[in-house]
Amino acid sequence: MYSYNEFDTAFLQERNAQFRSQVERRIDGSLTEDEFKPLRLMNGLYLQLHAYMLRVAIPYGTLNSRQMRQLAMIAERWDKGYGHFTTRQNIQYNWPKLQDVPDMLDALADVGMHAIQTSGNTIRNVTADHFSGAAADEIADPRPVAELIRQWSTDHPEFQFLPRKFKVAVTGSPNDRAVTAAHDIGIRIVERHGEIGYQILVGGGLGRTPMIGKVLADFVPGDDLLPYLESIVAVYNLLGRRDNKYKARIKITVHETGLDEIRRMVGDEFAARKPAFAGVDQEMLLEITSHFAPPPFGSAGTGDYDSTYATNPAFRAFVDTNVDTHKRDGYAIVSISLKSHGATPGDATADQMRVMADLAETYAHDELRISHEQNVILPHVPHRHLPAIYAALRDAGLATANIGLISDIIACPGMDYCALATARSIPIAQEIATRFDELELEHDVGPLKIKISGCINACGHHHVGHIGILGLDRAGVENYQITLGGDGTEDASIGERAGPGFGADEIIPAIERLVYAYLDLRESPDETFLQSYRRLGLAPFKAALYPAEAKADAA
Amino acid sequence: MPRPFTPKVVTANALLEGDVVYLTEDDRWTRTLTEAELIEDEAHAQLRLLDAEMQPDRVVGPYLADVKAGPQGPEPTHFREAFRSRGPSNYQHGKQAGA
């Protein structure tokens, strides 16, 4: 994986020294809050409901054991002993004190990490498929390109004051695990006549105006990628609405200007900008790609994997649910659920972080990934080590076999932490997970993605949840709206609002009715919830959600 | 017709820790809502908010929050202020941990 060179290290040290001075000046009164706020946001420091919050980037979700241990150390030394992994492959610390943040940033820089551009109207942390470099269905590893984009966008002078924040995601597989269609720019690595290139989606996004990204270019050759991206952001920087925050994202620009006109403008911009790149970007990409060479895969047999699988039902359930096919025989991808039933989705204690770091270092080529679904991945695991990994995870409370199931819920921090939220998300996720665990239905229900947001900004991706839940404030009471049929994959779709919202005490029974309706309606156990919904439409599910109305209609 | 004034407290976040704080009658900042000054007069509320805004070295983002009078002192009338007064509901590690 990529490791910072002397330039990167010096840059971070200088940037942190600058911020340390800014914090000192805020505390001694030389800087007002109005002056300080944009400076702290440029370094990932928010002020939330109960405390400051530091958002740390984990570019394309990749980190090694040393970095994970440092995240654990920071959680223990300067926070409350845990961290929250987010849907954008960041980690958030919910309780830092202002004067400690410069030390936290220095500790991050020691392991090549930072909080730059995790806030503000700039190009945010670049995200990617969490199975990158390991997936059996991968055309090419998207991380070198993601790293190139990170380097290009970091402190890019033209793009520090965009109309709004700007999010880029990259996938190297046709099965889109990076939700590229819900990003300002989605990049899909494609192959045409043996040549690797990029399909570019633009104008996707969730929030109050959810939109699926549109294909701006079907095939951008490798050499053209960076100047083409720069041209898109330049056009957006020019056209984007600065008069209205709610209309400022590129999705609105594309919608108002028209895709063809945007394409024409990007083409003109590209023609002007391309010569300036002069191949330097490709030299950089070549250098970066060398850092992402596959680990030295071995093949020393399967050990006691087969016998453990045959005799230990709990291990078998874990493998069947949490383990995916690797591109190499004898290897597997292990997803570690941060969603044990009743837990806060995405949270890991410092001890759990150390356990995961140890497992990566001992058994899995020292690599970890953070998924946008708020789980942790060991991307390169020899089959023979799976029993030992499972046993260690079980002892650490990390072996919940629920990846992709009803309790593997994405939930934003909601009003338990977030200053923008209008209702809580976490308790709803906790109650759903606990309820379906009690019902012992989870594995019978099969693949089902529930996503919960505590406000219209949709950090919990509810629009692309098979079942989406949006928490709102209705006359001073928490209220939850349900959307159905959303999908964040290559077949992306925005969920359809089912009807009036539910009170906090009504939402769990409503979800239960919905799931029972699906179990009744599905053609066979192989038909997933989303497939059933797409086959049958909203009506039968709506009838389950609102039985009184359905009865009245029938009368 | 102007809306009737409802009781308020002045609240903000502490500059150094980020904690939720409330202005007391004797010009202290307290972490406990029940110790806050219950303000029932609109003009006085505006003056107290100005007092708070003059303390940028101690607090960030002061504003007036709706409350009602309770037997122990001010009580929140909206769930957002209820969470601010006691901490998040998923862990007992906000203000409730020290209560």
Side-chain angles (χ1 to χ4, degrees), chain A residues 513-533:
Chain A
R513 290 197 298 278
L514 197 56
V515 171
Y516 275 116
Y518 153 67
L519 292 174
D520 283 344
L521 291 164
R522 67 183 179 186
E523 284 186 318
S524 77
D526 292 333
E527 187 180 55
T528 66
F529 179 90
L530 186 61
Q531 288 165 341
S532 289
Y533 182 84

Side-chain angles (χ1 to χ4, degrees), chain A residues 254-510:
Chain A
V254 171
H255 182 70
E256 290 186 345
T257 309
L259 185 64
D260 290 340
E261 176 61 7
I262 293 284
R263 188 180 289 121
R264 186 194 66 74
M265 292 181 74
V266 169
D268 289 351
E269 199 68 38
F270 175 76
R273 286 176 185 256
K274 167 74 177 164
F277 281 77
V280 176
D281 55 317
Q282 291 308 300
E283 288 170 23
M284 287 174 67
L285 182 59
L286 207 60
E287 153 67 13
I288 290 167
T289 303
S290 69
H291 290 274
F292 290 96
F297 294 122
S299 56
T302 55
D304 59 355
Y305 166 72
D306 291 322
S307 59
T308 311
Y309 186 86
T311 57
N312 182 337
F315 176 70
R316 188 162 60 242
F318 176 80
V319 169
D320 290 347
T321 310
N322 292 29
V323 174
D324 280 87
T325 309
H326 197 277
K327 65 182 180 184
R328 288 286 297 243
D329 287 344
Y331 273 76
I333 303 168
V334 175
S335 293
I336 301 169
S337 169
L338 298 184
K339 319 280 181 62
S340 67
H341 299 109
T344 300
D347 279 9
T349 66
D351 284 342
Q352 288 176 326
M353 288 185 224
R354 287 193 196 96
V355 166
M356 294 186 281
D358 290 347
L359 291 175
E361 187 175 56
T362 308
Y363 298 116
H365 298 288
D366 203 23
E367 275 199 42
L368 299 122
R369 305 284 166 73
I370 308 304
S371 76
H372 79 270
E373 291 175 315
Q374 302 177 288
N375 294 314
V376 177
I377 317 294
L378 298 173
H380 307 298
V381 180
H383 275 114
R384 68 181 182 282
H385 293 321
L386 281 169
I389 286 173
Y390 169 73
L393 291 175
R394 187 193 53 209
D395 292 348
L398 288 167
T400 309
N402 65 344
I403 296 293
L405 303 182
I406 197 168
S407 64
D408 183 12
I409 298 169
I410 288 181
C412 74
M415 196 176 271
D416 281 311
Y417 296 93
C418 180
L420 299 174
T422 47
R424 289 174 300 163
S425 303
I426 294 168
I428 304 302
Q430 289 173 310
E431 285 179 50
I432 292 172
T434 304
R435 181 68 187 134
F436 281 91
D437 190 37
E438 288 164 356
L439 292 171
E440 297 184 356
L441 272 178
E442 189 160 32
H443 287 267
D444 192 23
V445 171
L448 175 52
K449 291 183 188 297
I450 297 184
K451 301 175 197 277
I452 307 174
S453 302
C455 78
I456 203 163
N457 294 308
C459 295
H461 293 188
H462 65 276
H463 294 296
V464 290
H466 303 165
I467 298 174
I469 302 174
L470 166 63
L472 295 168
D473 176 347
R474 285 278 178 264
V477 178
E478 288 168 297
N479 187 272
Y480 296 90
Q481 255 177 25
I482 291 179
T483 52
L484 296 173
D487 180 12
T489 70
E490 61 283 358
D491 300 319
S493 58
I494 301 291
E496 194 174 357
R497 190 179 152 192
F502 295 89
D505 57 344
E506 300 167 327
I507 184 71
I508 310 303

Side-chain angles (χ1 to χ4, degrees), chain A residues 184-206:
Chain A
D184 296 286
I185 292 179
I187 301 171
R188 294 173 172 171
I189 296 178
V190 290
E191 192 172 356
R192 195 173 70 178
H193 311 307
E195 185 190 356
I196 297 288
Y198 306 93
Q199 184 189 58
I200 307 293
L201 279 72
V202 69
L206 302 177

Side-chain angles (χ1 to χ4, degrees), chain A residues 26 50 52 98 347 416 473, chain B residues 15-16 56 78 83 89-91:
Chain A
R26 174 67 184 98
H50 309 289
Y52 288 97
L98 179 58
D347 279 9
D416 281 311
D473 176 347
Chain B
L15 170 65
L16 295 180
H78 189 278
F83 293 126
S89 63
N90 60 327
Y91 297 121

